[in-house]
Amino acid sequence: DAGVIQSPRHEVTEMGQEVTLRCKPISGHNSLFWYRQTMMRGLELLIYFNNNVPIDDSGMPEDRFSAKMPNASFSTLKIQPSEPRDSAVYFCASARTGGWFGYTFGSGTRLTVV
Amino acid sequence: QKEVEQNSGPLSVPEGAIASLNCTYSDRGSQSFFWYRQYSGKSPELIMSIYSNGDKEDGRFTAQLNKASQYVSLLIRDSQPSDSATYLCAALNNNAGNMLTFGGGTRLMVKP
């Protein structure tokens, strides 16, 4: 199993530009989570999906952030327009339904907005 | 607000010693508990899970759970410099969705 695959690994963009982060969960995992990690705030859950349906997006900081999961093998997190304070590492994680066995994290996308 | 609390550290131990990492949680409905290890610049990696009161051992790692005290711990025996990382504790309440609540992590430094 290739694990959770995220792309790109690094993204540097200018303030105001649109940024799209991509994630492919582990096959057979029904739940997908988007996290943001910074030194100041630690790991923050942004949104999660069960069976491709968004369940809780209360962690999405602003309307500038949106996430989609068009099918079981692909999800995107979009920031439009991006701002310097969005600079962080964004992790995607997937889990079997129920999360009893914990989450598996992808390698993350390090986003820098200048 | 459901919380998982950890001392941020750093916890410094000499090579070969036992490192003891602690975690408390506020949600009494939490049923499953996990320890993740995160090396600097890397993603969190699941190293232990525990579901019942008592101890669970896996190699040099022992997870301990006390639901009455709402306390979880991770012991690392014979600590090695390669164990230096941030350790994240997480709790899961399946009756409140399947979202893990993470603590802020404890940074462990094992000195040669």
Side-chain angles (χ1 to χ4, degrees):
Chain A
D1 196 329
V4 177
I5 300 173
Q6 290 188 247
S7 65
R9 290 295 305 274
H10 303 275
E11 177 82 35
V12 180
T13 190
E14 291 185 345
M15 182 174 61
Q17 296 297 306
E18 177 180 296
V19 175
T20 299
L21 312 181
R22 296 173 175 79
C23 176
K24 176 179 169 56
I26 291 174
S27 178
H29 282 192
N30 301 86
S31 300
L32 183 140
F33 308 83
W34 282 102
Y35 282 88
R36 178 171 68 176
Q37 188 175 41
T38 61
M39 288 293 291
M40 291 295 295
R41 300 172 70 92
L43 264 178
E44 300 176 276
L45 177 65
L46 301 177
I47 185 171
Y48 88 93
F49 296 83
N50 271 351
N51 296 315
N52 314 337
V53 176
I55 302 300
D56 188 334
D57 66 353
S58 59
M60 297 285 261
E62 300 172 34
D63 291 345
R64 299 184 295 107
F65 286 69
S66 62
K68 294 182 180 180
M69 192 165 186
N71 57 62
S73 60
F74 184 67
S75 177
T76 60
L77 177 68
K78 185 177 294 186
I79 307 172
Q80 165 64 17
S82 57
E83 297 182 3
R85 59 193 168 122
D86 301 330
S87 297
V89 180
Y90 290 80
F91 289 108
C92 175
S94 69
R96 297 183 190 277
T97 300
W100 285 103
F101 303 104
Y103 301 174
T104 302
F105 282 81
S107 299
T109 296
R110 182 174 295 277
L111 173 65
T112 302
V113 183
V114 298
Chain B
Q1 182 176 351
K2 301 178 177 64
E3 293 183 344
V4 175
E5 300 287 345
Q6 296 180 256
N7 188 318
S8 61
L11 173 66
S12 182
V13 300
E15 183 175 357
I18 296 176
S20 178
L21 304 163
N22 305 312
C23 165
T24 59
Y25 61 95
S26 62
D27 181 7
R28 284 198 169 273
S30 297
Q31 299 149 318
S32 309
F33 303 87
F34 305 90
W35 283 98
Y36 284 80
R37 178 177 62 200
Q38 186 174 24
Y39 291 115
S40 180
K42 302 295 185 181
S43 59
E45 172 193 14
L46 180 63
I47 56 171
M48 289 287 287
S49 58
I50 187 166
Y51 308 100
S52 304
N53 279 329
D55 295 359
K56 179 181 177 182
E57 186 175 320
D58 184 0
R60 295 186 296 112
F61 298 97
T62 298
Q64 299 175 317
L65 173 61
N66 183 326
K67 289 187 178 180
S69 300
Q70 297 178 242
Y71 180 87
V72 192
S73 65
L74 178 70
L75 301 178
I76 306 175
R77 289 182 299 281
D78 188 23
S79 296
Q80 301 297 309
S82 59
D83 295 325
S84 298
T86 296
Y87 290 80
L88 299 163
C89 175
L92 176 68
N93 181 343
N94 286 90
N95 294 324
N98 48 329
M99 291 188 294
L100 280 181
T101 300
F102 282 90
T106 298
R107 183 178 166 210
L108 173 66
M109 298 173 58
V110 181
K111 296 186 174 181

